[in-house]
Amino acid sequence: MSAKDVYHDTAKHALEKDGWRITHDPYTIPWEKDKKDLFIDLGAEVIAAEKEAIRIAVEVKSFIGRSEMSELQKALGQFVIYRFLLERHDPERMLYLAVPDFILESLFDEPMGQLLMEHEGIKVLGFDIDTEEVTKWLPQRP
């Protein structure tokens, strides 16, 4: 299992404050029988109605490397792979990329970020690293 991102627990607390129940930490996706597993940082659900639960998987990215663009490339690559496998393993669960709100504003609120989200179907949630609260869901909260 890979190491947790710097803001893993911050994102987890933000989701809990937003009403989500963490069901997996991490959420495991089998890759090959008995050989490899991939780990999405968190699995969560919220009860939206008495008979319906909304389930998400959340990949937390801290973007603390030297190059924001390099971090974005790695995050998007992971997101695409995880989404592909999640569609086969647990198709009812939506995948989100969780990033600090200042990254959401500098990358995903900008035109290039908007195009990436639209073209690649990327869902993003921003969280405040100080208050440990979700600040924004893109395109919208599930």
Side-chain angles (χ1 to χ4, degrees), residues 2-21:
S2 61
K4 290 181 179 180
D5 281 86
V6 171
Y7 296 125
H8 177 94
D9 289 335
T10 305
K12 180 179 175 179
H13 296 153
L15 285 164
E16 290 170 332
K17 282 184 176 181
D18 199 50
W20 294 88
R21 182 173 66 90

Side-chain angles (χ1 to χ4, degrees), residues 80-142:
V80 169
I81 291 168
Y82 290 169
R83 184 184 58 207
F84 173 77
L85 294 172
L86 198 58
E87 286 171 355
R88 282 151 179 72
H89 179 70
D90 190 354
E92 299 300 316
R93 192 176 296 271
M94 293 178 282
L95 181 60
Y96 278 82
L97 180 64
V99 298
D101 56 359
F102 57 87
I103 295 297
L104 186 141
E105 292 168 7
S106 71
L107 288 177
F108 295 100
D109 272 348
E110 295 298 316
M112 181 179 165
Q114 293 289 318
L115 287 172
L116 281 171
M117 287 189 309
E118 182 181 326
H119 185 265
E120 294 298 326
I122 298 164
K123 294 175 174 61
V124 182
L125 70 93
F127 57 90
D128 185 296
I129 62 172
D130 296 318
T131 64
E132 295 187 334
E133 293 180 343
V134 174
T135 55
K136 197 172 205 178
W137 294 85
L138 294 175
Q140 62 191 15
R141 186 181 194 276

Side-chain angles (χ1 to χ4, degrees), residues 36-89:
K36 299 177 188 176
D37 288 331
L38 293 178
F39 302 96
I40 299 174
D41 290 317
L42 299 168
E45 68 181 8
V46 64
I47 303 302
E50 287 189 22
K51 294 183 180 180
E52 181 183 344
I54 298 171
R55 298 178 315 159
I56 62 174
V58 179
E59 179 60 22
V60 180
K61 288 297 168 205
S62 301
F63 282 78
I64 58 172
R66 290 185 195 170
S67 166
E68 215 173 65
M69 191 52 64
S70 178
E71 294 292 305
L72 178 62
Q73 290 169 337
K74 286 190 282 186
L76 293 181
Q78 257 186 305
F79 186 92
V80 169
I81 291 168
Y82 290 169
R83 184 184 58 207
F84 173 77
L85 294 172
L86 198 58
E87 286 171 355
R88 282 151 179 72
H89 179 70

